[in-house]
Amino acid sequence: MVVDLIGCCRAFVGVSETGGFTAGAAAARIPQPV
C-alpha cells in the first residue's frame, strides 16, 4: 500500500485551518470519507 504523504498533509492542514473534517476535506479537494 502506498501512502500519499502530500495528500495526508494537505488534509491535516485543511482540517486544522477550518476546524472540521467536512470543511477541511472541501478545502483540500478530497472526499470527506477519506
Side-chain angles (χ1 to χ4, degrees):
M1 181 168 87
V2 176
V3 177
D4 179 13
L5 185 58
I6 303 289
C8 290
C9 291
R10 283 188 189 133
F12 178 79
V13 170
V15 170
S16 62
E17 285 181 343
T18 60
F21 286 105
T22 302
R29 296 186 183 128
I30 58 171
Q32 190 263 343
V34 174

